[in-house]
């Protein structure tokens, strides 16, 4: 009985960690989405310069 409760608490602990990772991923995706929405609505000059800089950089993957 003791061992079963330890396994159960370990699984709950793992589940909590995975939920926190999921929240962080959603936060990062939301921030990127917000950045693009602001860019497409207002099109500030400094953002277009940043995109131009990234488009000039050659990707090592392709």
């Amino acid at each position: 009985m003791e061992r079963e409760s330890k396994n159960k608490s370990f699984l709950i602990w793992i589940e909590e960690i995975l939920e926190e990772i999921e929240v962080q991923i959603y936060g990062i995706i939301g921030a990127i989405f917000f950045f693009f929405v602001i860019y497409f609505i207002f099109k500030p000059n400094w953002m277009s310069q940043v995109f131009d800089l990234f488009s000039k950089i050659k990707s090592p993957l392709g």
Side-chain angles (χ1 to χ4, degrees):
M1 196 75 161
E2 177 86 20
R3 184 175 177 99
E4 187 174 320
S5 66
K6 284 184 181 179
N7 285 341
K8 193 171 188 178
S9 65
F10 180 72
L11 292 176
I12 290 172
W13 184 69
I14 294 292
E15 186 176 315
E16 298 268 338
I17 290 174
L18 291 177
E19 286 177 10
E20 290 297 324
I21 291 171
E22 182 181 8
V23 167
Q24 293 296 322
I25 289 172
Y26 286 147
I28 291 168
I29 291 171
I32 292 170
F33 180 73
F34 180 76
F35 179 79
F36 281 113
V37 167
I38 295 298
Y39 173 73
F40 287 122
I41 291 174
F42 298 110
K43 296 195 182 201
N45 289 333
W46 66 270
M47 283 180 132
S48 63
Q49 293 171 358
V50 170
F51 281 112
D52 290 342
L53 178 69
F54 283 128
S55 67
K56 290 179 182 177
I57 296 174
K58 302 275 186 192
S59 174
L61 300 175

